[in-house]
Amino acid sequence: MSILLMQNSSDSLIYYEQRWWSILVEVLLGMGTEIMEEMHCMEQFFIRLQNVYAFVCQVCFFILWYQVIEEDVVEELRGDKTVITALTTILFYSVFGYFVTRIKEICQNGRARSVQTTPSMRSCLKWLCKIILEWAKAVVIVLCLREQGIHYEPTLLYSIVTFIYYLCTEKVFLEIFPSLIELLNVESMENLEHLYIPLVLNILTIATGTSLVMYTLIMKFSNFVLLSTYFLIYLRVKDAYYNYWCLIIAERETYSSFRTATEKEIQDWADICAVCLNNMSRARITPCNHLFHPYCLKQCLKTSFYCPLCKRHFMEASGESQ
Ligand SMILES: [Zn+2]
Ligand SMILES: [Zn+2]
């Protein structure tokens, strides 16, 4: 009897031990996924602060690139010099970025007010003064550094690579490049330039960032590598995947539910697009059997899922037509 009891109690002990473990693992897993979700939200928030996100990536990249190409810097000066060179370089580039932002604003205002296309003389002078002031600030900083014995003399290679990286990451250029490509009217882009171009630039920065980090890891380990891996590779891959790749897939899927119209169908439709009232050589047919320019349809889809002509919901109409 007592042996049976002992066996029973040891069995239940093992059972409770197993349960205890499984509960612990479950709790830990739950906490882990929750923390990951929180991290993901915070990272996405950080990425949305485009200027700060770009600045941090630029600083990391510029410092790493300086460490890679400037081998002969004295070891004790290296820390200061790399950071100061990176920050001063960004300062000069940001003056250029500011200049481009102003030009972009003037162009946009010109387009919005088609009557008064040229900005007033006074505002032109004002922003010219501002740019000269910004430039002067950067030069003064360089002179002050020189006083302290730190010479800001970036090599041509350093300047070219950092400038390209700056162009690929800065917010204003991520907005300008797609609109420039849009002017070329590349058909294979399917009016998704605003997603494709930043994605390509993102992949470029990830590739250069990865090769820099790998080189630093193999040739000379620096404490800075871990931080750079996070910002230059991990965050940028997340940005490319969630904010561009997933959106491209979603937009393409919605759009592909509209089939391309044949030439005969376009002729039967009397060649006119109801959105822009222009002739059509290419068209897409909605589930409610209305024809529009692919571009016009895409523009409409960005704001609503209702047919611009009959105001029926595309999803309802496709359900009825099946
Ligand atoms: Zn149209
Ligand atoms: Zn319709």
Side-chain angles (χ1 to χ4, degrees), residues 286 288 290 307 310:
T286 63
C288 49
H290 291 128
C307 171
C310 66

Side-chain angles (χ1 to χ4, degrees), residues 182 185 190-193 251 255 258 269 271-286 290-309 311 314:
E182 237 167 72
N185 241 334
E190 296 176 326
N191 296 108
L192 288 174
E193 289 92 345
E251 281 213 19
Y255 183 69
F258 309 129
W269 189 252
D271 282 3
I272 301 288
C273 165
V275 177
C276 64
L277 303 178
N278 282 319
N279 286 346
M280 288 189 286
S281 56
R282 291 167 66 233
R284 288 262 176 169
I285 304 181
T286 63
H290 291 128
L291 276 74
F292 303 99
H293 280 126
Y295 174 80
C296 296
L297 204 51
K298 277 197 170 171
Q299 293 303 102
C300 295
L301 269 180
K302 279 180 187 168
T303 49
S304 88
F305 271 79
Y306 290 90
C307 171
L309 203 62
K311 305 292 172 203
F314 286 134

Side-chain angles (χ1 to χ4, degrees), residues 101-126:
T101 312
R102 286 300 301 150
I103 290 188
K104 182 175 159 257
E105 274 171 19
I106 287 173
C107 290
Q108 276 173 346
N109 286 348
R111 233 179 288 161
R113 293 179 271 128
S114 52
V115 189
Q116 190 199 346
T117 45
T118 47
S120 71
M121 193 69 180
R122 214 173 135 215
S123 70
C124 264
L125 271 175
K126 215 166 122 188

